[in-house]
Amino acid sequence: MIDKIWKNGHIVSYDQAKVGINTHALHYGSSVFEGIRAYNTVNGVGILKLKEHMKRFIYSMESLGMVCNYSLEELCQAVIKTVKASGLESCYIRPLAYYAEGPVSVLPKEGHPVDITIYCLEMGKYMAADKVDIKVSKYIRIHPKSTVCDAKIGGHYVNSILASRETIDTHYHEALLLDMDGNVAEGAAMNIFFIKNNELITTPLGTILDGITRRLIISIGRDLGINVTERYFKVEELIEADEAFFCGTAVEVTPIASIDDKKLKASNYKITNQIKATYEKVKKGEFYKDALTYI
Ligand code: PMP
């Protein structure tokens, strides 16, 4: 049950945090959010990459012209306070900022109220399978000339919802979105990597969300002595990969079994497993020790 919500500086109950029908974000998708995980470790509850997430949160707010009355440090402290208040150990944290109730007009007028809330949920494994079968969506990922692709804006997720809906009543676990030029972009809520001849390859920034897990994986890869390259690639190249995986806060590191029913041939997932094992150590505070902020 979610009953401890940080809202505009105070911990309130779920009922007190409810929004009204005239909330701008409800009509126009004018919200921004984050998804962060906290892990229970031998040193206590640690929040993974807290500062990076809240930096992106502020960046997303700015992209929609929202005035943030809190500093980065204050927002990080608010997250810590919320996790403590929730009493949860391992959990998923959802900071959310939205244009609240105000005049009905697409462009929020200067001074249109912005609410910020933070709350925690229990979240175990996000994916339905250990290795996922994915389907290339007919929808392309939001176009960089239509929006601010690397901001985590609520309205962007209509694109993700539509792509994910194509997997309903099929054996596919997840959707894969291409960009406007037919290059592989990312999943509905996750970035993608593949491995070919011991090289770790991922989509460059531009059309995708600048995933915090993606940054972590790039760094883990390099520290494991793996060559890491950010470049465009097509689905055909992905199908020929030795290994592939999705990554993100919710999905963590999830190997991909097949793309449009074509099984990845090689795969013993050797490098994926190596990266996954290191990621598990980060979650426990045993590797990149400063990646966790203890509450
Ligand atoms: N892409 C999209 C579209 C996402 O929603 C997410 C989840 N935030 C990701 C990638 C992965 O980002 P992160 O590693 O920061 O969770």
Side-chain angles (χ1 to χ4, degrees), residues 176-177 179 183-187 190-196 198-222 226-235 237-238 241 243-248 252-254 256 271 275:
L176 179 66
L177 289 94
D179 71 9
N183 299 304
V184 172
E186 62 181 337
M190 56 215 75
N191 294 117
I192 189 164
F193 283 80
F194 76 95
I195 294 137
K196 187 75 184 179
N198 296 318
E199 187 185 2
L200 184 59
I201 298 152
T202 193
T203 312
L205 299 180
T207 56
I208 58 171
L209 188 76
D210 180 3
I212 287 156
T213 320
R214 174 185 177 278
R215 291 185 210 158
L216 201 53
I217 301 294
I218 290 175
S219 153
I220 290 175
R222 294 200 169 123
I226 302 165
N227 247 332
V228 185
T229 309
E230 295 172 65
R231 67 162 170 84
Y232 291 110
F233 55 93
K234 306 277 190 218
V235 177
E237 190 178 358
L238 184 63
E243 310 176 30
F245 62 87
F246 274 139
C247 76
E252 303 183 309
V253 176
T254 302
I256 294 170
I271 294 179
I275 290 170

Side-chain angles (χ1 to χ4, degrees), residues 72-231:
L72 174 61
E73 181 52 32
E74 284 169 336
L75 286 176
C76 291
Q77 286 305 322
V79 170
I80 291 171
K81 192 173 170 184
T82 313
V83 177
K84 276 187 186 158
S86 77
L88 295 171
E89 292 175 332
S90 292
C91 63
Y92 182 79
I93 308 156
R94 170 52 55 85
L96 173 73
Y98 54 92
Y99 278 112
E101 290 203 86
V104 176
S105 85
V106 167
L107 176 65
K109 300 270 184 308
E110 212 186 315
H112 191 118
V114 171
D115 285 342
I116 303 183
T117 58
I118 306 169
Y119 62 92
C120 305
L121 302 164
E122 285 191 71
M123 183 187 277
K125 264 180 63 177
Y126 179 87
M127 287 292 206
D130 288 339
K131 290 192 181 67
V132 290
D133 297 312
I134 65 177
K135 173 184 172 36
V136 177
S137 173
K138 70 176 183 205
Y139 296 101
I140 62 161
R141 162 84 180 148
I142 46 172
H143 195 293
K145 286 188 177 166
S146 300
T147 183
V148 184
C149 277
D150 58 353
K152 205 166 159 59
I153 297 175
H156 287 176
Y157 284 81
V158 169
N159 179 232
S160 297
I161 293 167
L162 289 171
S164 301
R165 280 183 52 77
E166 295 179 310
T167 66
I168 295 175
D169 292 336
T170 71
H171 59 287
Y172 300 112
H173 300 104
E174 280 295 330
L176 179 66
L177 289 94
L178 308 184
D179 71 9
M180 59 284 178
D181 298 318
N183 299 304
V184 172
E186 62 181 337
M190 56 215 75
N191 294 117
I192 189 164
F193 283 80
F194 76 95
I195 294 137
K196 187 75 184 179
N197 300 330
N198 296 318
E199 187 185 2
L200 184 59
I201 298 152
T202 193
T203 312
L205 299 180
T207 56
I208 58 171
L209 188 76
D210 180 3
I212 287 156
T213 320
R214 174 185 177 278
R215 291 185 210 158
L216 201 53
I217 301 294
I218 290 175
S219 153
I220 290 175
R222 294 200 169 123
D223 284 341
L224 291 175
I226 302 165
N227 247 332
V228 185
T229 309
E230 295 172 65
R231 67 162 170 84

Side-chain angles (χ1 to χ4, degrees), residues 39-90:
Y39 294 100
N40 196 12
T41 78
V42 289
N43 296 316
V45 176
I47 305 173
L48 186 59
K49 293 282 177 186
L50 173 60
K51 205 167 172 183
E52 285 78 354
H53 279 284
M54 297 320 282
K55 261 192 197 162
R56 190 172 66 186
F57 186 66
I58 292 173
Y59 171 76
S60 299
M61 286 185 75
E62 285 170 350
S63 77
L64 283 183
M66 292 178 180
V67 176
C68 185
N69 294 320
Y70 302 92
S71 66
L72 174 61
E73 181 52 32
E74 284 169 336
L75 286 176
C76 291
Q77 286 305 322
V79 170
I80 291 171
K81 192 173 170 184
T82 313
V83 177
K84 276 187 186 158
S86 77
L88 295 171
E89 292 175 332
S90 292

